[in-house]
């Protein structure tokens, strides 16, 4: 039992290491250019049976093939989550994340590597460790797309269980861009002295910001899949706040010099 706990504790340290935004060596992660990135700790609780809608705007021409949303299950809601999950007829569609570009669905992630999978994987030990929350990610990879300044990326997350989104308090997208540069959250990672840096991307006008509004759509019954076109009826849930995210172009390690 002690060996298992030690392995788990080590795994949690690795997760914490990643969440502290310290790029890992290229032997572990591929090189990636991050055009948009936020990570703050103002947790926003998202109610179950809802669909949230998040909007992102490219500045300049950028190429991306990966989008990540950070998700947290604090200890205060884990029991509720597990109770709801145990009453579901099956695990299919518990959480669904879709990526839309200009209103059209281009990629979807249903359960595979979803936050609920990460949470369920902790059932054997989370109660035995001083864990205040289970932190994980929800990501979608897709073929590289070219984005222009007039394009709009939209993320939809539908969930039958509650969860929280670590978010930043931001008044507008200009403030967000400045925050990303200040914290060196965007740029090329995975190489020593890598370029472009956050400052270079910002000066060149090649970055992505998030509209600081969480929109929500209440769902009366479980859905089987996301529609091909962006659903209507979203209304502001919270304003002046932007959930943590990463939008990047991943480059294979073999391309590194």
């Amino acid at each position: 039992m002690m060996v298992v706990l030690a392995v788990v504790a080590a795994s949690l340290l690795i997760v914490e290491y990643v969440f502290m935004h310290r790029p890992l060596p290229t032997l572990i992660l591929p090189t990636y250019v991050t055009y948009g990135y936020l990570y703050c700790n103002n947790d926003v609780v998202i109610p179950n049976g809802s669909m949230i809608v998040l909007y992102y705007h490219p500045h300049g021409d950028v190429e991306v093939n990966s989008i990540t949303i950070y998700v947290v299950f604090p200890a205060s809601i884990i029991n509720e989550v597990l109770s709801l999950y145990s009453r579901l007829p099956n695990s299919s569609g518990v959480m669904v994340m879709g990526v839309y570009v200009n209103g059209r669905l281009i990629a979807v992630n249903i359960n595979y590597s979803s936050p609920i999978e990460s949470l369920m994987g902790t059932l054997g030990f989370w109660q035995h460790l001083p864990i205040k929350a289970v932190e994980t990610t929800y990501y979608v990879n897709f073929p590289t797309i070219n984005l222009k300044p007039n394009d709009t990326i939209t993320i939809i997350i539908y969930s039958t269980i509650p969860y929280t989104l670590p978010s930043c308090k931001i008044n507008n997208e200009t403030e967000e861009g400045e925050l990303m540069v200040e914290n060196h959250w965007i740029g090329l990672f995975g190489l020593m002295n890598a370029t472009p840096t956050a400052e270079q991307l910002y000066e060149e006008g090649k970055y992505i910001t998030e509209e600081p509004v969480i929109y929500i759509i209440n769902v009366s019954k479980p859905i089987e899949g996301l529609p091909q076109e962006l659903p209507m009826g979203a209304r502001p849930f919270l304003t002046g706040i932007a959930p943590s995210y990463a939008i990047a172009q991943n480059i294979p390690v073999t391309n590194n010099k």
Side-chain angles (χ1 to χ4, degrees), residues 45-49 72-73 77 80-81 84 159-164:
V45 178
I46 306 300
N48 58 297
V72 175
F73 293 100
I77 69 169
E80 178 185 359
V81 169
L84 286 171
S159 179
T160 58
I161 59 173
Y163 59 97
T164 69

Side-chain angles (χ1 to χ4, degrees), residues 93-171:
V94 173
M95 296 191 79
V96 182
M97 175 174 164
V99 178
Y100 293 76
V101 174
N102 299 328
R104 296 289 298 177
L105 184 67
I106 67 162
V108 65
N109 186 339
I110 302 177
N111 284 353
Y112 174 72
S113 296
S114 76
I116 187 62
E117 294 297 318
S118 297
L119 177 62
M120 297 306 292
T122 68
L123 289 181
F125 62 83
W126 76 269
Q127 295 169 319
H128 303 288
L129 293 174
I131 301 174
K132 295 182 179 179
V134 175
E135 299 184 359
T136 183
T137 59
Y138 208 178
Y139 64 88
V140 177
N141 296 324
F142 43 85
T144 299
I145 57 175
N146 300 312
L147 298 172
K148 303 293 183 180
N150 59 340
D151 292 331
T152 298
I153 308 170
T154 307
I155 304 295
I156 283 185
I157 300 177
Y158 165 76
S159 179
T160 58
I161 59 173
Y163 59 97
T164 69
L165 295 175
S167 305
C168 300
K169 293 182 178 179
I170 294 174
N171 294 315

Side-chain angles (χ1 to χ4, degrees), residues 15-256:
V15 171
E16 181 182 4
Y17 186 69
V18 173
F19 270 73
M20 290 302 290
H21 330 306
R22 301 167 185 166
L24 300 180
T26 55
L27 292 177
I28 299 176
L29 291 178
T31 300
Y32 53 98
V33 181
T34 302
Y35 291 102
Y37 190 104
L38 287 179
Y39 194 86
C40 301
N41 295 309
N42 298 297
D43 288 344
V44 175
V45 178
I46 306 300
N48 58 297
S50 62
M51 188 181 292
I52 64 163
V53 183
L54 309 171
Y55 293 100
Y56 301 84
H57 302 121
H59 301 260
D61 297 342
V62 296
E63 295 182 345
V64 300
N65 56 22
S66 175
I67 296 180
T68 299
I69 301 294
Y70 294 89
V71 176
V72 175
F73 293 100
S76 59
I77 69 169
I78 287 181
N79 287 333
E80 178 185 359
V81 169
L82 297 179
S83 177
L84 286 171
Y85 185 77
S86 66
R87 297 199 299 268
L88 295 173
N90 57 70
S91 60
S92 178
V94 173
M95 296 191 79
V96 182
M97 175 174 164
V99 178
Y100 293 76
V101 174
N102 299 328
R104 296 289 298 177
L105 184 67
I106 67 162
V108 65
N109 186 339
I110 302 177
N111 284 353
Y112 174 72
S113 296
S114 76
I116 187 62
E117 294 297 318
S118 297
L119 177 62
M120 297 306 292
T122 68
L123 289 181
F125 62 83
W126 76 269
Q127 295 169 319
H128 303 288
L129 293 174
I131 301 174
K132 295 182 179 179
V134 175
E135 299 184 359
T136 183
T137 59
Y138 208 178
Y139 64 88
V140 177
N141 296 324
F142 43 85
T144 299
I145 57 175
N146 300 312
L147 298 172
K148 303 293 183 180
N150 59 340
D151 292 331
T152 298
I153 308 170
T154 307
I155 304 295
I156 283 185
I157 300 177
Y158 165 76
S159 179
T160 58
I161 59 173
Y163 59 97
T164 69
L165 295 175
S167 305
C168 300
K169 293 182 178 179
I170 294 174
N171 294 315
N172 51 60
E173 295 183 53
T174 298
E175 180 181 319
E176 178 181 335
E178 294 171 351
L179 181 63
M180 291 192 297
V181 174
E182 178 183 344
N183 289 284
H184 304 284
W185 284 342
I186 58 176
L188 179 61
F189 297 92
L191 294 171
M192 294 297 293
N193 301 317
T195 56
T197 64
E199 291 82 0
Q200 287 172 324
L201 282 183
Y202 191 68
E203 290 174 0
E204 294 173 6
K206 299 182 64 173
Y207 59 99
I208 298 173
T209 55
E210 178 179 4
E211 182 178 338
V213 180
I214 299 176
Y215 295 87
I216 194 169
I217 301 174
N218 291 331
V219 180
S220 59
K221 60 181 180 180
I223 65 172
E224 296 182 357
L226 294 176
Q228 291 299 308
E229 295 186 357
L230 201 61
M232 306 297 290
R235 67 184 191 282
F237 176 60
L238 284 175
T239 60
I241 196 160
S244 302
Y245 73 97
I247 300 181
Q249 179 186 21
N250 293 317
I251 305 169
V253 174
T254 54
N255 289 350
N256 295 346

